[in-house]
Amino acid sequence: FAHAQFALPGFTGVERIGMSPANPGPQQDVVLTLESSLIDLAASEIAWRVDGTARGPGESIAVRTGKLGSTMHVTAAVTTPEGSLVTASLDIAPTELDLLYDSDTYVPPLYRGRALPSAGSTVRLQAIPHFVKPSGAEVPASDVIFAWKRNGQLLGSLSGKGRAAITVPAP
């Protein structure tokens, strides 16, 4: 989960908890940072809780994600200088994704390397998701919605539920 949002009553702005990296894997260090354009965070009291355990004050904290399939619940309580209490929370569920590729290019006999894509060839991409439910069961690739992009453009006809592989012209 990339971020959580919260709204302060009486304000129209949206606040968030930023996370770096945005898509952490298992057993990875993550920095969480409160972001606000409405609240003076430097003048506010901030209390963090990670899975119910109190953590240090401040606008940012560092956490380490759990194993694949675990979920970490993080809450930040902000007491503004005016005395208002605002809370934000997010859940972090680490995941992994293997991305494999191959090409239809020629490889000489006895060549030890793999066939690399070249102009005029095609590239086959295969995504292998490792998304684990809290029960420990892996989510099958057929249940995952894939959004394939090329140069920032969505390849709509190649994307969709269970579409874990695509073949495209090489750049």
Side-chain angles (χ1 to χ4, degrees):
F1 305 112
H3 69 277
Q5 298 180 338
F6 63 98
L8 185 62
F11 293 97
T12 58
V14 175
E15 313 306 319
R16 66 183 228 120
I17 297 176
M19 186 165 62
S20 178
N23 299 301
Q27 305 295 321
Q28 187 173 4
D29 292 326
V30 179
V31 176
L32 304 173
T33 306
L34 279 175
E35 299 171 358
S36 176
S37 58
L38 301 174
I39 300 170
D40 182 3
L41 295 173
S44 300
E45 291 182 31
I46 302 170
W48 294 87
R49 294 188 83 71
V50 178
D51 289 333
T53 303
R55 294 291 297 265
E59 293 178 39
S60 298
I61 63 168
V63 297
R64 186 166 188 85
T65 60
K67 64 180 184 167
L68 193 64
S70 67
T71 301
M72 176 188 299
H73 183 72
V74 179
T75 303
V78 180
T79 304
T80 66
E82 296 79 28
S84 298
L85 177 65
V86 179
T87 60
S89 65
L90 81 123
D91 292 318
I92 303 172
T95 59
E96 288 183 328
L97 180 90
D98 295 329
L99 185 60
L100 308 175
Y101 74 93
D102 64 359
S103 181
D104 64 355
T105 55
Y106 172 76
V107 177
L110 305 176
Y111 179 72
R112 292 182 164 213
R114 73 181 303 163
L116 298 175
S118 61
S121 67
T122 59
V123 178
R124 184 181 191 299
L125 300 165
Q126 173 77 41
I128 303 171
H130 301 286
F131 304 158
V132 179
K133 298 177 185 178
S135 66
E138 255 197 56
V139 176
S142 59
D143 290 347
V144 176
I145 298 172
F146 294 89
W148 294 98
K149 294 181 181 182
R150 182 175 183 150
N151 297 329
Q153 298 288 354
L154 179 67
L155 302 174
S157 63
L158 300 175
S159 300
K161 185 176 180 182
R163 297 199 169 200
I166 64 168
T167 301
V168 294

